[in-house]
Amino acid sequence: MSQQTATRPGLADPRLREEILYYCRESVRCGLNFNTQGNISVRLPGVLDGEDAVVITPSDVRYDAMHPEDMLVVDMHGTVLEGDLLPSTELPVHLEHYRRRPDAQAIVHTESTFVNVLGALGRRIDPVLLNMVLYAKGPVPIMPFEFSTNADFGRRSAELMGDDVNAVVWANHGLLAVGVSLKLAFKVAVAVEENAEVLFQAERAGTPTVLVYDQIAIPEGARLP
Ligand SMILES: [Zn+2]
């Protein structure tokens, strides 16, 4: 156990650590990740004398062998405050997305198949399903391929995602989804993958109808995410 762990105990609630582990395993069960792919983080608002911290999954640990205590807590500069393992290699990218989007309380990175089919083709993911347009909002843009482990990539990824869409595709790699909660960030990742598969199949048969978030008629009293 590190010295920092002893001086700053319990920045991440045990229930939150369990929730992150649950969604890690769900990501494999839902076909969003294979093996040790992907990662998840959650913002811890104001826990460091008013400054935010982030709890993130460790690098290179199989989800079926991961424990709640394996999660790491880091400050917004990436300094590890709790945990003995190495944080996900994409930590700098998560931090840049949190900086750009104050509304983002959680980030889910997945490497699902149909997101990667469209990503490898360089095709942005237009919404053709209600779930997609409700959770991810607009068309999901695509970053050209490059390694995704540095802050510069993260700044450009966050810039491309912008303020109104909740996901971005990294070509030849996967998806980064944000949400106002971990539950919602996960729903974004699920919705984009499902939409990517339907879009891909529908385009082989004809011209699918694309939904535009600002133009869909939302019934009075509808409960929106
Ligand atoms: Zn990845």
Side-chain angles (χ1 to χ4, degrees), residues 37-39 90 109-111 148 170 173-174:
Q37 293 168 341
N39 41 60
E90 276 142 2
H109 165 52
T110 55
E111 303 190 6
S148 56
W170 301 337
H173 181 169

PDB file of all heavy atoms in Angstrom, residues 37-39 90 109-111 148 170 173-174, ligand 1:
ATOM      1  N   GLN A  37      -9.472  -5.362 -23.047  1.00  0.00           N
ATOM      2  CA  GLN A  37      -9.714  -4.110 -23.775  1.00  0.00           C
ATOM      3  C   GLN A  37     -10.626  -3.171 -22.994  1.00  0.00           C
ATOM      4  O   GLN A  37     -11.396  -3.592 -22.146  1.00  0.00           O
ATOM      5  CB  GLN A  37     -10.383  -4.409 -25.112  1.00  0.00           C
ATOM      6  CG  GLN A  37      -9.507  -5.148 -26.096  1.00  0.00           C
ATOM      7  CD  GLN A  37     -10.307  -5.673 -27.260  1.00  0.00           C
ATOM      8  OE1 GLN A  37     -11.524  -5.800 -27.177  1.00  0.00           O
ATOM      9  NE2 GLN A  37      -9.630  -5.993 -28.336  1.00  0.00           N
ATOM     10  N   GLY A  38     -10.547  -1.900 -23.371  1.00  0.00           N
ATOM     11  CA  GLY A  38     -11.450  -0.901 -22.809  1.00  0.00           C
ATOM     12  C   GLY A  38     -11.032  -0.442 -21.429  1.00  0.00           C
ATOM     13  O   GLY A  38     -10.102  -0.986 -20.822  1.00  0.00           O
ATOM     14  N   ASN A  39     -11.711   0.578 -20.950  1.00  0.00           N
ATOM     15  CA  ASN A  39     -11.484   1.090 -19.598  1.00  0.00           C
ATOM     16  C   ASN A  39     -12.646   1.992 -19.204  1.00  0.00           C
ATOM     17  O   ASN A  39     -13.425   2.420 -20.057  1.00  0.00           O
ATOM     18  CB  ASN A  39     -10.143   1.829 -19.483  1.00  0.00           C
ATOM     19  CG  ASN A  39      -9.864   2.688 -20.694  1.00  0.00           C
ATOM     20  OD1 ASN A  39     -10.631   3.596 -20.999  1.00  0.00           O
ATOM     21  ND2 ASN A  39      -8.791   2.398 -21.417  1.00  0.00           N
ATOM     22  N   GLU A  90      -4.840   4.973 -21.143  1.00  0.00           N
ATOM     23  CA  GLU A  90      -5.582   6.084 -21.739  1.00  0.00           C
ATOM     24  C   GLU A  90      -6.019   7.127 -20.706  1.00  0.00           C
ATOM     25  O   GLU A  90      -6.814   8.023 -21.022  1.00  0.00           O
ATOM     26  CB  GLU A  90      -6.772   5.543 -22.534  1.00  0.00           C
ATOM     27  CG  GLU A  90      -6.341   5.130 -23.934  1.00  0.00           C
ATOM     28  CD  GLU A  90      -7.003   3.880 -24.455  1.00  0.00           C
ATOM     29  OE1 GLU A  90      -7.859   3.312 -23.749  1.00  0.00           O
ATOM     30  OE2 GLU A  90      -6.650   3.459 -25.563  1.00  0.00           O
ATOM     31  N   HIS A 109     -14.742   3.545 -22.290  1.00  0.00           N
ATOM     32  CA  HIS A 109     -14.048   3.278 -23.555  1.00  0.00           C
ATOM     33  C   HIS A 109     -14.245   1.808 -23.911  1.00  0.00           C
ATOM     34  O   HIS A 109     -13.994   0.935 -23.089  1.00  0.00           O
ATOM     35  CB  HIS A 109     -12.562   3.605 -23.434  1.00  0.00           C
ATOM     36  CG  HIS A 109     -11.732   3.025 -24.545  1.00  0.00           C
ATOM     37  ND1 HIS A 109     -12.033   3.215 -25.876  1.00  0.00           N
ATOM     38  CD2 HIS A 109     -10.624   2.247 -24.524  1.00  0.00           C
ATOM     39  CE1 HIS A 109     -11.145   2.583 -26.612  1.00  0.00           C
ATOM     40  NE2 HIS A 109     -10.280   1.973 -25.824  1.00  0.00           N
ATOM     41  N   THR A 110     -14.729   1.564 -25.139  1.00  0.00           N
ATOM     42  CA  THR A 110     -14.998   0.197 -25.586  1.00  0.00           C
ATOM     43  C   THR A 110     -14.364  -0.032 -26.963  1.00  0.00           C
ATOM     44  O   THR A 110     -13.986   0.927 -27.645  1.00  0.00           O
ATOM     45  CB  THR A 110     -16.518  -0.048 -25.684  1.00  0.00           C
ATOM     46  OG1 THR A 110     -17.093   0.952 -26.530  1.00  0.00           O
ATOM     47  CG2 THR A 110     -17.173   0.016 -24.310  1.00  0.00           C
ATOM     48  N   GLU A 111     -14.265  -1.298 -27.347  1.00  0.00           N
ATOM     49  CA  GLU A 111     -13.665  -1.636 -28.646  1.00  0.00           C
ATOM     50  C   GLU A 111     -14.584  -2.599 -29.389  1.00  0.00           C
ATOM     51  O   GLU A 111     -14.179  -3.680 -29.807  1.00  0.00           O
ATOM     52  CB  GLU A 111     -12.257  -2.205 -28.428  1.00  0.00           C
ATOM     53  CG  GLU A 111     -11.366  -1.225 -27.670  1.00  0.00           C
ATOM     54  CD  GLU A 111      -9.903  -1.605 -27.614  1.00  0.00           C
ATOM     55  OE1 GLU A 111      -9.518  -2.592 -28.272  1.00  0.00           O
ATOM     56  OE2 GLU A 111      -9.152  -0.919 -26.905  1.00  0.00           O
ATOM     57  N   SER A 148      -3.515   6.342 -28.730  1.00  0.00           N
ATOM     58  CA  SER A 148      -4.466   7.132 -27.932  1.00  0.00           C
ATOM     59  C   SER A 148      -4.020   7.272 -26.479  1.00  0.00           C
ATOM     60  O   SER A 148      -4.841   7.223 -25.572  1.00  0.00           O
ATOM     61  CB  SER A 148      -5.825   6.447 -27.977  1.00  0.00           C
ATOM     62  OG  SER A 148      -5.688   5.108 -27.527  1.00  0.00           O
ATOM     63  N   TRP A 170     -12.560   6.380 -32.294  1.00  0.00           N
ATOM     64  CA  TRP A 170     -11.139   6.417 -32.653  1.00  0.00           C
ATOM     65  C   TRP A 170     -10.966   5.362 -33.734  1.00  0.00           C
ATOM     66  O   TRP A 170     -11.099   4.157 -33.472  1.00  0.00           O
ATOM     67  CB  TRP A 170     -10.259   6.099 -31.451  1.00  0.00           C
ATOM     68  CG  TRP A 170     -10.447   7.034 -30.294  1.00  0.00           C
ATOM     69  CD1 TRP A 170     -10.927   8.307 -30.319  1.00  0.00           C
ATOM     70  CD2 TRP A 170     -10.154   6.756 -28.916  1.00  0.00           C
ATOM     71  NE1 TRP A 170     -10.950   8.831 -29.051  1.00  0.00           N
ATOM     72  CE2 TRP A 170     -10.472   7.902 -28.179  1.00  0.00           C
ATOM     73  CE3 TRP A 170      -9.639   5.652 -28.249  1.00  0.00           C
ATOM     74  CZ2 TRP A 170     -10.311   7.981 -26.803  1.00  0.00           C
ATOM     75  CZ3 TRP A 170      -9.467   5.712 -26.876  1.00  0.00           C
ATOM     76  CH2 TRP A 170      -9.796   6.876 -26.155  1.00  0.00           C
ATOM     77  N   HIS A 173      -9.732   1.431 -33.705  1.00  0.00           N
ATOM     78  CA  HIS A 173      -9.494   1.194 -32.278  1.00  0.00           C
ATOM     79  C   HIS A 173     -10.797   1.016 -31.492  1.00  0.00           C
ATOM     80  O   HIS A 173     -11.069  -0.059 -30.998  1.00  0.00           O
ATOM     81  CB  HIS A 173      -8.658   2.349 -31.716  1.00  0.00           C
ATOM     82  CG  HIS A 173      -8.323   2.203 -30.264  1.00  0.00           C
ATOM     83  ND1 HIS A 173      -7.405   2.997 -29.624  1.00  0.00           N
ATOM     84  CD2 HIS A 173      -8.788   1.363 -29.312  1.00  0.00           C
ATOM     85  CE1 HIS A 173      -7.312   2.638 -28.354  1.00  0.00           C
ATOM     86  NE2 HIS A 173      -8.151   1.657 -28.141  1.00  0.00           N
ATOM     87  N   GLY A 174     -11.633   2.047 -31.389  1.00  0.00           N
ATOM     88  CA  GLY A 174     -12.833   1.891 -30.573  1.00  0.00           C
ATOM     89  C   GLY A 174     -13.575   3.190 -30.341  1.00  0.00           C
ATOM     90  O   GLY A 174     -13.491   4.131 -31.130  1.00  0.00           O
TER      91      GLY A 174
HETATM   92 ZN    ZN B   1      -8.592   0.837 -26.282  1.00  0.00          ZN
END
